[in-house]
Amino acid sequence: MISIRLRIIREQNRIYTLLLRLLSYFQPTGSKVYIFHDILDEVSMVKSSFTISKSSFEIFLSDQLAKGKHANTFEELTQIILKRYTGRNSFIITFDDANESVYTKAYPFLKAHSIPFIVFITKELIGRPNFLSKEQIVEMAHDSLCTIGSHALQHKMFRYMTAKEALMEYNESQTYLQQLTGQSIDCFAFPYGRLVEVSCKNIKLLEQTSYKFAFSAIAGNLNQKWVSGNYYLPRINVSEAVAKKIINHKSL
């Protein structure tokens, strides 16, 4: 049986998600941050909304560019978030968890088309089967197209952590990635990323760190940062179904 507290948290998440969706109708041209996870070889291999085929990944990005949308650099993204630059009809690509397919399947396409991207890395996943190695992370980090961000030490829900545990996740993951890449780690993405898994206390605590901004996993665009704040910015998950809509629309 679901507890009353969890029911309330879920309702808060639902209301917040609906609010951002409603605002998107009135602010449709705001800069968008897209999330990808694992890129798979074939459509038949896709079994969840957190995976997408290589062909659909490329179709989605090609469609963005064909529509005249601008792929933001990390510096431009920072300007949009921190200095109120509008960034109309622009986007940036992000990857969560550091699946190896980011390097083997997504990176060649992004590099060929000069598309900037952010890889949010969870330390505990580095070097595991089907995840990025240290060498692959360092190689991408030294490409000006790529920005490395933190996705915590462990891929766990933050809501039920103590303040001490959360601060350790924020700070030690940042320090580790800075030492690994030799570069500043300025942004964070919450694992899971919904209000069900992330509390307001988690967000307020992150504001006290040296990160410049952070992301949720709730859909919206950056014109809505007046609602989200700079440490729970909206992002849009791109699934196989989203790419299929593009394909079907082109076939009409």
Side-chain angles (χ1 to χ4, degrees):
M1 186 173 179
I2 301 173
S3 69
I4 293 176
R5 183 187 177 206
L6 182 55
R7 288 178 186 272
I8 293 171
I9 293 169
R10 286 183 174 180
E11 187 63 17
Q12 289 172 335
N13 185 80
R14 187 183 72 84
I15 292 170
Y16 182 73
T17 301
L18 288 174
L19 173 62
L20 292 192
R21 186 179 300 171
L22 177 63
L23 290 173
S24 292
Y25 287 111
F26 296 99
Q27 302 171 313
T29 62
S31 183
K32 296 177 176 66
V33 183
Y34 293 114
I35 317 171
F36 295 91
H37 292 79
D38 203 4
I39 315 295
L40 304 178
D41 284 318
E42 303 294 339
V43 175
S44 60
M45 300 170 69
V46 176
K47 304 298 181 184
S48 82
S49 60
F50 300 109
T51 56
I52 189 171
S53 65
K54 182 174 180 289
S55 60
S56 293
F57 172 76
E58 294 176 0
I59 286 168
F60 176 81
L61 289 182
S62 296
D63 182 67
Q64 295 293 306
L65 298 175
K67 288 176 178 176
K69 295 186 178 181
H70 171 66
N72 288 315
T73 64
F74 184 74
E75 290 73 20
E76 288 170 334
L77 177 69
T78 302
Q79 291 287 319
I80 291 168
I81 295 169
L82 300 183
K83 298 192 177 180
R84 302 180 185 273
Y85 170 63
T86 58
R88 289 169 58 87
N89 290 315
S90 64
F91 67 94
I92 193 163
I93 301 303
T94 69
F95 299 91
D96 282 8
D97 306 344
N99 290 280
E100 188 178 26
S101 60
V102 174
Y103 180 84
T104 58
K105 298 180 177 65
Y107 184 38
F109 182 86
L110 295 166
K111 195 169 185 177
H113 293 82
S114 299
I115 300 173
F117 60 101
I118 304 172
V119 185
F120 287 106
I121 294 173
T122 302
K123 182 189 173 184
E124 72 167 355
L125 299 177
I126 297 173
R128 290 190 180 185
N130 300 318
F131 288 91
L132 291 169
S133 67
K134 292 180 182 179
E135 292 77 16
Q136 290 168 333
I137 293 168
V138 170
E139 180 183 337
M140 287 193 294
H142 285 84
D143 187 327
S144 60
L145 291 173
C146 179
T147 298
I148 301 297
S150 172
H151 202 41
L153 292 172
Q154 306 168 87
H155 201 279
K156 291 184 176 181
M157 291 187 288
F158 270 70
R159 176 172 282 277
Y160 303 106
M161 291 182 186
T162 65
K164 182 178 179 180
E165 289 170 335
L167 278 173
M168 181 180 71
E169 292 283 333
Y170 298 146
N171 295 328
E172 292 190 13
S173 62
Q174 183 184 45
T175 299
Y176 173 80
L177 291 171
Q178 287 178 163
Q179 291 174 346
L180 177 64
T181 64
Q183 298 176 1
S184 178
I185 304 299
D186 294 325
C187 57
F188 185 88
F190 284 102
Y192 304 104
R194 302 176 305 163
L195 285 173
V196 177
E197 297 93 9
V198 181
S199 71
C200 291
K201 288 182 179 179
N202 298 147
I203 298 165
K204 290 293 185 183
L205 195 62
L206 184 59
E207 292 177 1
Q208 300 172 25
T209 69
S210 61
Y211 290 103
K212 293 180 179 178
F213 46 84
F215 295 95
S216 71
I218 299 177
N221 65 61
L222 295 183
N223 276 354
Q224 296 156 6
K225 61 182 181 288
W226 62 274
V227 176
S228 68
N230 288 348
Y231 289 85
Y232 199 62
L233 294 161
R235 286 192 300 166
I236 301 167
N237 183 63
V238 182
S239 65
E240 189 70 29
V242 172
K244 283 183 179 178
K245 287 181 182 179
I246 295 171
I247 297 168
N248 291 338
H249 179 74
K250 287 184 175 181
S251 65
L252 293 177

